[in-house]
Amino acid sequence: MTAVALRQMGTLFRVEWRLFHRIRSNYVFVLVIPLLLLLGMRFVQEQMDLAAHGLSAGPVMVATAAGILLIFSLYSSVTGLYVARREELVLKRLRTGEVADPVILAGGASLYVAIAVAQIVVVTAVLSVMFGVAPRQAPAALLGLVTGVVLMTAMAAATAALCRTVESVMVATLPAIFVLPMIAGIYIPREVLPDNLGDILAYAPLSGTIDLVRSGWTAELGLAGIVTRVLVDLVWAGLFAWVAAKRFRWEPRT
């Protein structure tokens, strides 16, 4: 990425930050979601016999928290952002300048990427202390976070392409919000599922991210496993990016 593109992204980040800061209730969203996550996760995970499947609660909850925050704080927020800025004609005006299309989308999403990453770092640190676990394979967790951010941003752009209005965003994001956590091993680790089903769901969107983040605390993946999961995430990200490139609309329908 060129220096010019980075400056343009920085400008878009600052603009989104000012708009975010004007609505002080946004800070409630930033603080409440991680807090509710921390309060509710231990109760939910205690209902499962993780030890019987060779799983430790700490790493599982770290991966679960990362997945939930990527979906709620990044994916759903960026989808709504893209549609709102399109309806306000902001995207159309930006395209009349020198800013490239990928920079417009990446710059617009950059604030929520920063928020989601900050939330994940804080929550995983708290969970690590709560359960007395420490990262053993930090590069795997970092790769999982990066690929998860890329995947969720691309998925948000593809979903925004299907939305006619801001009001339709809630309906359009429902499949990801409710189905994706069930099939990607976020709510229920795949080891708890029947073997064949768990093996198939290893190739679901975001499954690679969950495995990589968990391996950051367990070191359960070797080099081949890490590469495979990164590739799975990137293939899904490429598919969603292709859909966005073909279908994304930069101005409201008339």
Side-chain angles (χ1 to χ4, degrees), residues 7-22:
R7 285 198 300 271
Q8 291 169 340
M9 283 187 62
T11 300
L12 291 171
F13 177 91
R14 289 191 294 273
V15 170
E16 290 297 336
W17 166 252
R18 292 192 190 101
L19 293 173
F20 184 90
H21 182 67
R22 286 179 185 175

Side-chain angles (χ1 to χ4, degrees), residues 32 61 77 97 104 141 145 159 201 232 235 252-253:
V32 167
M61 290 182 68
S77 297
I104 293 173
L145 181 58
T159 306
L201 294 182
V232 168
V235 167
R253 289 181 182 174

Side-chain angles (χ1 to χ4, degrees), residues 3 10 28 36 105 119 134 156 172 174 190 219-220 225 241:
V28 176
L36 292 177
L105 296 179
Q119 288 177 325
L174 283 178
R190 292 196 311 278
E220 62 194 58

Side-chain angles (χ1 to χ4, degrees), residues 48-106:
M48 303 179 191
D49 189 5
L50 297 176
H53 299 276
L55 300 173
S56 175
V60 169
M61 290 182 68
V62 165
T64 297
I68 291 174
L69 290 170
L70 283 170
I71 291 173
F72 284 90
S73 294
L74 182 56
Y75 165 72
S76 61
S77 297
V78 172
T79 303
L81 173 75
Y82 286 155
V83 177
R85 297 295 178 262
R86 182 184 68 209
E87 297 301 300
E88 296 163 355
L89 301 180
V90 172
L91 299 183
K92 182 179 180 180
R93 289 195 293 270
L94 287 172
R95 290 190 90 202
T96 62
E98 299 178 354
V99 187
D101 291 352
V103 174
I104 293 173
L105 296 179

Side-chain angles (χ1 to χ4, degrees), residues 110-139:
S110 60
L111 173 64
Y112 289 96
V113 170
I115 290 172
V117 170
Q119 288 177 325
I120 289 170
V121 169
V122 171
V123 169
T124 54
V126 172
L127 288 172
S128 296
V129 173
M130 285 173 58
F131 287 90
V133 294
R136 298 171 55 193
Q137 196 180 55

Side-chain angles (χ1 to χ4, degrees), residues 116-196:
V117 170
Q119 288 177 325
I120 289 170
V121 169
V122 171
V123 169
T124 54
V126 172
L127 288 172
S128 296
V129 173
M130 285 173 58
F131 287 90
V133 294
R136 298 171 55 193
Q137 196 180 55
L142 181 60
L143 279 172
L145 181 58
V146 171
T147 55
V149 165
V150 172
L151 172 58
M152 289 293 96
T153 305
M155 191 173 173
T159 306
L162 305 177
C163 301
R164 292 179 61 93
T165 64
V166 175
E167 290 75 17
S168 65
V169 170
M170 183 175 296
V171 176
T173 55
L174 283 178
I177 290 174
F178 287 102
V179 177
L180 196 56
M182 299 299 296
I183 65 175
I186 295 174
Y187 290 157
I188 304 174
R190 292 196 311 278
E191 289 81 357
V192 178
L193 303 174
D195 291 340
N196 291 337

